[in-house]
Amino acid sequence: MYALRQWSVKNARPMKALYDGLEAVLLKLHPVFEWLGYRRIDKFVLGIEKVSKGLLFDSQSCGQCILGSTGMACPMNCPKSMRNGPCGGVRADGKCEVDPGMDCVWLLAWEGNKRLAEQSYPIQVVQPPVDNRLRNTSAWLREVRKLTKTDEHTG
Ligand code: SF4
């Protein structure tokens, strides 16, 4: 929902704190996830992600969530799917070149990032291109696996 997406960016700091808290909880659940089998629960967790992140961020379920690096603005709402934006076509009033009815996702990302950042600017980290093979898989479970160094090809 567009209004909630903008609200989330305006409240980037508490939203990021919420996200960090959720990550800590998910990390604690890693042994349970392993016991259940990551692959087996992926669709279930993805369903929760789709509802919650869809509502708050208009998440497009790319499976490689970088909200924490983009001021809590989902870059997949950019019509050009830019992972390192903005493009060169942002309108003078800050609206999107392709969809003038919405603010440029990357201007919002920059604003959100300013609210987040105290010493660092994670938005300045160059992001790899989106891997379309990971669409519609759980980004949360992928992050837990990454942080616990659990092999993605098992479980
Ligand atoms: S103006 Fe912004 S949102 Fe629109 S296509 Fe360019 S980078 Fe994406």
Side-chain angles (χ1 to χ4, degrees):
M1 188 194 294
Y2 185 60
L4 263 179
R5 186 205 301 182
Q6 289 191 305
W7 180 88
S8 296
V9 172
K10 282 199 180 86
N11 293 279
R13 190 181 283 251
M15 293 305 285
K16 176 72 166 47
L18 188 71
Y19 231 64
D20 290 346
L22 175 68
E23 183 177 280
V25 171
L26 291 174
L27 275 172
K28 288 220 181 316
L29 288 172
H30 166 62
V32 180
F33 296 154
E34 267 201 319
W35 181 71
L36 290 169
Y38 271 92
R39 278 193 210 166
R40 206 172 302 135
I41 61 173
D42 196 274
K43 286 279 172 262
F44 174 73
V45 178
L46 174 66
I48 300 171
E49 276 184 54
K50 271 184 180 280
V51 173
S52 55
K53 285 161 63 180
L55 185 70
L56 290 169
F57 308 110
D58 278 343
S59 162
Q60 304 296 314
S61 301
C62 71
Q64 306 131 82
C65 191
I66 54 168
L67 279 168
S69 300
T70 54
M72 308 310 281
C74 174
M76 301 313 287
N77 288 308
C78 162
K80 296 180 186 172
S81 300
M82 296 199 70
R83 298 289 272 191
N84 297 283
C87 71
V90 188
R91 292 169 191 261
D93 61 358
K95 298 291 182 189
C96 170
E97 174 186 29
V98 180
D99 181 355
M102 71 174 203
D103 294 330
C104 168
V105 168
W106 279 95
L107 289 195
L108 289 179
W110 184 255
E111 288 303 316
N113 187 78
K114 279 198 291 191
R115 291 184 187 108
L116 282 183
E118 277 160 353
Q119 287 117 14
S120 65
Y121 281 83
I123 201 169
Q124 292 179 336
V125 175
V126 176
Q127 299 292 337
V130 73
D131 183 345
N132 285 313
R133 294 169 301 179
L134 303 179
R135 278 185 190 272
N136 287 313
T137 58
S138 169
W140 288 347
L141 291 182
R142 179 161 295 103
E143 187 65 11
V144 174
R145 284 181 143 183
K146 190 174 105 189
L147 295 173
T148 55
K149 299 184 176 18
T150 310
D151 188 357
E152 271 221 35
H153 303 292
T154 58

